[in-house]
Amino acid sequence: MLEKIKETAAYIASKFEHIPDTAIILGTGLGELVGHIEDKRELPYGEIPHFPLSTVEGHSGKLILGRLGEKPILAMQGRFHYYEGYTMQQVTFPVRVLRQLGVKTLFVSNAAGGMNPQFKVGDLMIITDHINTFPDNPLRGKNYEELGPRFPDMSDAYSPRLIDKALAIAARNNIEVRQGVYVGTQGPTFETPAEYRYFRIIGGDAVGMSTVPEVIVAHHGGMEVFAISVITDLGGFGDIVKCSHEEVQKAAAEAQPRMTLIMQQLIAEN
Ligand code: HPA
């Protein structure tokens, strides 16, 4: 694995001479951010050695180098989900590569189902913590000390500093944001009513099928992480709003301008 990480990083470094210290995984809700990236240079995932290829509708795969405002950034358009059949190591491989390239801060977005009865469809939720219910952990197996510690502390995986900044940005722009615990689950089924209630009872505010693996690996590697969810459907003990892939995309599109604004300013100020 170490060899592959180094080979892939070397390939990317040979294509993009200056690698920024900030990266974004453009999950659901942030697709539009691409339009704000200037001086773009793109590398399709298919050309990158050892990179998996994304298979799900609405996620095209490429790495984008450019500037967001004044900030040089590296953006991943398209991510890899466990439900697609990849191993946890494959899902998180790009994050290992980003770290090898010298990236220090990682921004992530996703779509999630809300279980907190106060949430509404279209809400933004800053992730303050997570619960990993995937059947695996990307750090299972041999640990390479040069990638990070065997038993990583997870008490501040979601940077309190970046959360505070994002809250200030949201307040300044009159954007309502929620904060909460994201439950990561394997999918691809959405939750049954009993599963939504279960995830609420164990302490979750929202549930989704991504992010947890990437954040574990980013934090393991010492990166500072900020993650935000757009609530696209509701389950649990409050209102129930069913979801389909199309409805998830629709709610995410509606929330996109708010999410984009917060991310843009957060990255600019970081
Ligand atoms: N569950 C899991 N993943 C999701 C959901 C959900 O309700 N909504 C969007 N992604």
Side-chain angles (χ1 to χ4, degrees):
M1 177 165 76
L2 283 181
E3 277 310 301
K4 284 188 178 173
I5 294 167
K6 286 179 185 165
E7 273 174 38
T8 305
Y11 178 83
I12 294 169
S14 77
K15 297 287 174 189
F16 300 145
E17 48 294 350
H18 295 295
I19 302 291
D21 61 10
T22 301
I24 318 174
I25 301 177
L26 299 168
T28 308
L30 276 184
E32 197 178 81
L33 195 66
V34 175
H36 298 267
I37 303 176
E38 295 174 85
D39 301 334
K40 274 206 277 286
R41 306 253 314 278
E42 301 184 345
L43 199 54
Y45 290 166
E47 292 178 16
I48 306 176
H50 311 306
F51 245 55
L53 281 171
S54 73
T55 63
V56 76
E57 191 188 329
H59 298 266
S60 66
K62 58 189 168 204
L63 204 56
I64 302 168
L65 180 78
R67 271 186 311 103
L68 197 59
E70 295 297 302
K71 270 265 157 93
I73 54 142
L74 201 56
M76 278 180 61
Q77 188 174 34
R79 59 143 64 97
F80 305 101
H81 302 86
Y82 187 76
Y83 62 74
E84 294 176 84
Y86 301 114
T87 64
M88 283 297 225
Q89 282 73 24
Q90 289 173 309
V91 167
T92 56
F93 182 76
V95 179
R96 292 282 185 214
V97 172
L98 292 176
R99 195 253 194 185
Q100 178 71 29
L101 285 164
V103 169
K104 301 208 161 34
T105 315
L106 183 67
F107 296 86
V108 186
S109 77
N110 62 50
M115 284 98 62
N116 183 321
Q118 295 182 342
F119 287 6
K120 303 181 300 296
V121 169
D123 278 355
L124 299 180
M125 184 189 91
I126 294 173
I127 303 180
T128 55
D129 201 350
H130 77 218
I131 298 174
N132 178 17
T133 75
F134 283 89
D136 196 0
N137 186 302
L139 306 186
R140 191 171 84 90
K142 179 172 167 55
N143 187 64
Y144 298 94
E145 280 296 320
E146 60 187 286
L147 299 184
R150 169 75 291 185
F151 300 110
D153 177 81
M154 289 297 285
S155 60
D156 59 357
Y158 297 85
S159 166
R161 184 183 76 83
L162 290 172
I163 292 170
D164 283 350
K165 277 197 173 202
L167 290 171
I169 290 165
R172 200 202 298 149
N173 290 282
N174 287 318
I175 297 174
E176 192 189 13
V177 283
R178 313 288 193 166
Q179 298 178 67
V181 174
Y182 176 89
V183 179
T185 184
Q186 66 171 311
T189 43
F190 291 118
E191 287 61 44
T192 64
E195 286 166 344
Y196 275 122
R197 291 194 296 271
Y198 163 70
F199 286 144
R200 179 64 185 159
I201 288 166
I202 65 171
D205 294 289
V207 55
M209 305 173 198
S210 68
T211 305
V212 163
E214 292 117 313
V215 171
I216 289 174
V217 164
H219 189 66
H220 179 238
M223 290 158 82
E224 195 173 10
V225 176
F226 176 81
I228 187 164
S229 298
V230 48
I231 304 299
T232 56
D233 53 276
L234 301 172
F237 298 100
D239 290 344
I240 293 176
V241 177
K242 273 207 200 183
C243 61
S244 64
H245 189 56
E246 291 69 32
E247 275 159 305
V248 167
Q249 302 283 332
K250 200 168 130 230
E254 188 274 318
Q256 179 142 277
R258 284 174 283 139
M259 194 187 258
T260 303
L261 188 144
I262 292 174
M263 277 292 196
Q264 247 182 318
Q265 295 196 7
L266 187 57
I267 290 168
E269 286 178 21
N270 185 42

